[in-house]
Amino acid sequence: MKPQVLQLNPILVPAVNDQLASLYQVHKFFETADQQAWLRQHGAEVDAVVTGGHTGISRAMLEQLPKLKVVAINGVGTDAVDLTYCRERGLPVTATLGALTEDVADLAIGLLIAACRNLCAGDRFVRDGLWEQYPAPSAIPLARRFSGMRVGIVGMGRVGRAVATRAAAFGCPIRYTDLRAMDDVAHEFVPALADLARGSDALVLCAAADKAEGIVDAAILDALGPRGFLVNVARGRLVNEPDLTAALAAGRIAGAGLDVFVDEPRVPEALRQSDRSTLQAHRASATWETRAAMGQMVLDSIAQAVAGDRPAMSLTT
Ligand code: 8YV
């Protein structure tokens, strides 16, 4: 009998699905009508769980999987898994560390340029035939230059550093905040987020959301100011979304580029309607290259765990 894998999210790379299916008995939980009934009946047989960073797995569900040998996160966020509980249980939780860094940083810069150069509004203007209707150059307001913007990075982990590398290539002065200053980072460390916001033209959120919640609120947005831009490629709940919506509506910040939201896939109507927002549907790691690399890491982690070895990417054991 093949080891049993419980898959909580779809995987979009066929070769990864084929590998999973050839090695394991895979149950696609996201297609299961009565999930509680399935868990009651089959929970005791599950050897491995594959889940997304945003989805994670609840402690209540973990408690229904007594034979579990690994939670393989197809992502880097661990905020939706109770790591303390997994540590106590000796259960490996793995993440795809390093696989998605470049793509997430690419999207952060893309969102920032899109927001300050009004790329989406410009696209609609041409697409909807408005250019012909309003050919005067004054029909579109002038945009804001990205090159040379003072960029403040919140969370100087792998993604934050990759954003810094890219922003530096655009001649942007860079400062950052994190829980502590980092010896191996040459950029200036700013302990208080409000100070970083005050001295930045763009604030880019790259922080883990395991503990931080609502750290970007009205006060931080006001410190960023009416010429400032916010980019979030980390987790929606780092931001107080009603405060952000209000700040955008009142022009208290210039714009926002957002890949993540508090209650995905629901995005507040006011954010969807705002001219100042550029939105993506949590797509930062969604390239063939990255998802294939992530899938391989997930496969490796499961293989190591079911063989009785400590998975190399384990964060808890
Ligand atoms: C992934 C993420 O989209 O890595 C994470 O934590 O949230 C995302 O980049 C997701 O995990 C894909 O399943």
Side-chain angles (χ1 to χ4, degrees):
M1 174 104 166
K2 290 175 178 174
Q4 307 267 322
V5 172
L6 184 59
Q7 187 184 339
L8 305 192
N9 278 144
I11 288 181
L12 304 179
V13 179
V16 176
N17 287 316
D18 292 350
Q19 274 288 315
L20 278 171
S22 74
L23 296 168
Y24 309 110
Q25 183 71 44
V26 180
H27 182 79
K28 294 188 186 337
F29 200 60
F30 51 93
E31 290 174 353
T32 306
D34 190 342
Q35 297 185 329
Q36 277 314 316
W38 191 92
L39 280 175
R40 275 194 302 276
Q41 213 179 331
H42 302 287
E45 298 149 25
V46 173
D47 296 286
V49 160
V50 185
T51 187
H54 186 69
T55 306
I57 182 168
S58 71
R59 178 170 171 165
M61 192 164 160
L62 285 172
E63 284 169 349
Q64 290 176 271
L65 309 173
K67 207 177 129 194
L68 195 63
K69 298 180 184 69
V70 65
V71 175
I73 300 176
N74 188 29
V76 291
T78 57
D79 50 304
V81 182
D82 185 339
L83 294 184
T84 310
Y85 166 76
C86 293
R87 248 177 231 119
E88 283 166 12
R89 188 169 147 178
L91 178 63
V93 176
T94 65
T96 62
L97 302 175
L100 45 68
T101 309
E102 311 304 331
D103 279 348
V104 177
D106 287 354
L107 195 79
I109 297 295
L111 279 170
L112 183 46
I113 295 179
C116 63
R117 295 298 300 267
N118 297 323
L119 292 190
C120 296
D123 176 85
R124 285 193 297 273
F125 189 79
V126 178
R127 192 181 296 277
D128 297 346
L130 295 176
W131 197 8
E132 266 180 71
Q133 224 176 314
Y134 305 101
S138 57
I140 306 183
L142 293 176
R144 175 85 183 279
R145 174 186 293 170
F146 167 58
S147 288
M149 264 190 176
R150 296 168 303 162
V151 172
I153 296 176
V154 181
M156 206 48 147
R158 289 182 178 81
V159 172
R161 290 167 194 226
V163 169
T165 304
R166 285 155 179 72
F170 285 86
C172 299
I174 292 152
R175 302 190 308 157
Y176 74 99
T177 193
D178 206 308
L179 299 177
R180 56 180 174 80
M182 303 191 182
D183 296 341
D184 56 345
V185 173
H187 303 294
E188 185 188 338
F189 171 67
V190 182
L193 177 55
D195 293 336
L196 184 71
R198 202 167 294 113
S200 298
D201 299 304
L203 213 51
V204 184
L205 307 186
C206 308
D210 295 74
K211 295 191 180 77
E213 189 169 347
I215 56 170
V216 176
D217 57 10
I220 299 299
L221 294 166
D222 284 338
L224 185 58
R227 284 178 53 76
F229 290 84
L230 178 74
V231 168
N232 191 359
V233 288
R235 282 290 183 266
R237 66 197 186 88
L238 290 174
V239 177
N240 179 316
E241 228 165 46
D243 284 3
L244 173 61
T245 305
L248 286 169
R252 284 173 23 239
I253 65 167
L258 308 170
D259 185 44
V260 288
F261 304 87
V262 170
D263 184 24
E264 296 169 10
R266 282 162 290 276
V267 176
E269 176 74 10
L271 272 187
R272 288 192 277 129
Q273 297 303 330
S274 173
D275 289 340
R276 297 180 194 276
S277 64
T278 303
L279 310 176
Q280 287 285 295
H282 200 143
R283 303 290 295 164
S285 69
T287 67
W288 283 107
E289 293 80 359
T290 281
R291 288 295 171 84
M294 289 163 67
Q296 189 54 55
M297 286 180 168
V298 164
L299 285 163
D300 291 347
S301 292
I302 297 175
Q304 290 155 3
V306 298
D309 299 329
R310 177 190 170 275
M313 290 286 170
S314 176
L315 301 165
T316 47
T317 56

Coordinates of all heavy atoms in Angstrom, one line a residue, residues 9-10 51-54 73-79 96 100 104 234-235 282 284-286 291 294, ligand 1:
N9 N -4.5 21.9 -1.2 CA -4.6 22.9 -2.3 C -4.2 22.3 -3.6 O -3.4 21.4 -3.6 CB -3.5 24.0 -2.0 CG -4.0 25.1 -1.0 OD1 -3.2 25.6 -0.3 ND2 -5.2 25.4 -1.0
P10 N -4.8 22.8 -4.7 CA -4.3 22.3 -6.0 C -2.9 22.7 -6.2 O -2.4 23.7 -5.7 CB -5.2 23.1 -7.0 CG -6.3 23.7 -6.2 CD -5.8 23.9 -4.8
T51 N 0.2 21.5 1.7 CA -0.7 22.6 1.8 C 0.0 23.9 1.3 O 1.2 23.9 1.1 CB -1.2 22.8 3.3 OG1 -2.2 23.8 3.3 CG2 0.0 23.2 4.2
G52 N -0.8 24.9 1.1 CA -0.2 26.2 0.6 C 0.2 27.0 1.8 O -0.3 26.8 2.9
G53 N 1.0 28.0 1.6 CA 1.5 28.9 2.7 C 0.3 29.6 3.3 O 0.2 29.8 4.5
H54 N -0.6 30.1 2.4 CA -1.7 30.9 2.9 C -2.8 30.0 3.6 O -3.4 30.4 4.6 CB -2.3 31.6 1.7 CG -3.4 32.6 2.1 ND1 -3.1 33.7 2.8 CD2 -4.8 32.5 2.0 CE1 -4.3 34.3 3.1 NE2 -5.3 33.6 2.6
I73 N 4.7 22.4 3.3 CA 4.1 23.6 2.8 C 4.6 23.9 1.5 O 5.8 24.0 1.3 CB 4.4 24.8 3.8 CG1 3.8 24.5 5.2 CG2 3.8 26.1 3.2 CD1 4.1 25.6 6.2
N74 N 3.7 24.1 0.5 CA 4.1 24.5 -0.8 C 4.2 26.0 -0.9 O 3.4 26.7 -1.5 CB 3.1 23.9 -1.8 CG 3.5 24.1 -3.3 OD1 4.7 24.1 -3.6 ND2 2.5 24.2 -4.2
G75 N 5.1 26.6 -0.2 CA 5.3 28.0 0.0 C 6.2 28.3 1.2 O 6.8 27.3 1.7
V76 N 6.4 29.5 1.5 CA 7.3 29.9 2.6 C 6.7 30.4 3.8 O 7.3 30.4 4.9 CB 8.4 30.9 2.1 CG1 9.3 30.3 1.1 CG2 7.7 32.2 1.6
G77 N 5.4 30.8 3.7 CA 4.7 31.4 4.9 C 4.3 30.2 5.9 O 3.8 29.2 5.4
T78 N 4.7 30.4 7.1 CA 4.3 29.4 8.1 C 3.3 29.9 9.1 O 3.0 29.2 10.1 CB 5.6 28.9 8.9 OG1 6.1 30.1 9.5 CG2 6.6 28.3 8.0
D79 N 2.7 31.1 8.8 CA 1.8 31.7 9.7 C 0.5 31.0 9.9 O -0.3 31.2 10.9 CB 1.5 33.2 9.3 CG 1.2 33.3 7.8 OD1 1.9 32.8 7.0 OD2 0.1 33.8 7.5
T96 N 9.2 25.8 1.3 CA 10.1 25.8 0.1 C 11.0 27.0 0.1 O 11.0 27.8 -0.8 CB 9.2 25.8 -1.2 OG1 8.4 27.0 -1.2 CG2 8.2 24.6 -1.2
L100 N 11.0 30.7 -4.1 CA 10.2 31.7 -4.7 C 10.7 33.1 -4.5 O 10.1 34.1 -4.9 CB 8.8 31.6 -4.1 CG 8.6 31.4 -2.6 CD1 8.9 32.6 -1.9 CD2 7.1 31.0 -2.3
V104 N 8.9 36.6 -6.1 CA 8.2 37.5 -5.2 C 8.8 38.9 -5.3 O 8.0 39.9 -5.4 CB 8.1 36.9 -3.8 CG1 7.4 37.9 -2.9 CG2 7.4 35.6 -3.8
A234 N 3.5 40.2 1.1 CA 3.8 39.2 2.2 C 2.4 38.6 2.6 O 2.1 37.5 2.1 CB 4.4 40.0 3.3
R235 N 1.7 39.2 3.5 CA 0.4 38.8 4.0 C -0.5 40.0 4.2 O -0.1 41.0 4.7 CB 0.5 38.0 5.3 CG 1.1 36.6 5.2 CD 0.1 35.6 4.6 NE 0.6 34.3 4.6 CZ 1.2 33.7 3.5 NH1 1.5 34.4 2.4 NH2 1.6 32.5 3.6
H282 N -2.9 37.2 -5.3 CA -1.9 36.4 -4.6 C -1.1 35.6 -5.7 O -1.1 34.3 -5.7 CB -2.5 35.5 -3.6 CG -1.6 35.0 -2.5 ND1 -1.9 34.9 -1.2 CD2 -0.3 34.6 -2.6 CE1 -0.9 34.4 -0.5 NE2 0.1 34.2 -1.4
A284 N 2.4 36.2 -6.5 CA 3.8 36.5 -6.5 C 4.7 35.3 -6.8 O 5.7 35.4 -7.5 CB 4.2 37.1 -5.2
S285 N 4.3 34.1 -6.4 CA 5.2 32.9 -6.7 C 4.7 32.1 -7.9 O 5.2 31.0 -8.2 CB 5.2 32.0 -5.5 OG 4.0 31.4 -5.3
A286 N 3.6 32.7 -8.6 CA 2.9 31.9 -9.6 C 3.6 31.9 -11.0 O 3.0 32.5 -11.9 CB 1.5 32.3 -9.7
R291 N 7.0 27.5 -9.4 CA 6.1 26.4 -8.9 C 6.7 25.0 -9.1 O 6.5 24.1 -8.4 CB 4.7 26.6 -9.5 CG 3.9 27.8 -9.0 CD 3.6 27.6 -7.5 NE 3.1 28.8 -6.9 CZ 1.8 29.2 -7.0 NH1 0.9 28.4 -7.6 NH2 1.4 30.3 -6.5
M294 N 9.2 24.6 -6.4 CA 8.5 24.4 -5.1 C 8.0 23.0 -5.0 O 8.1 22.3 -4.0 CB 7.4 25.4 -5.0 CG 7.8 26.9 -4.7 SD 6.5 28.1 -5.0 CE 5.3 27.7 -3.7
Ligands
8YV1 C1 2.2 30.7 -2.4 C2 2.6 32.0 -0.2 O1 1.4 31.3 -3.4 O2 4.8 31.1 0.1 C3 3.7 31.5 0.6 O3 3.6 31.5 1.8 O4 1.7 32.5 0.3 C4 2.6 31.9 -1.7 O5 3.7 32.4 -2.2 C5 1.4 29.6 -1.9 O6 1.9 29.0 -0.8 C6 1.1 28.6 -3.0 O7 0.5 27.5 -2.5

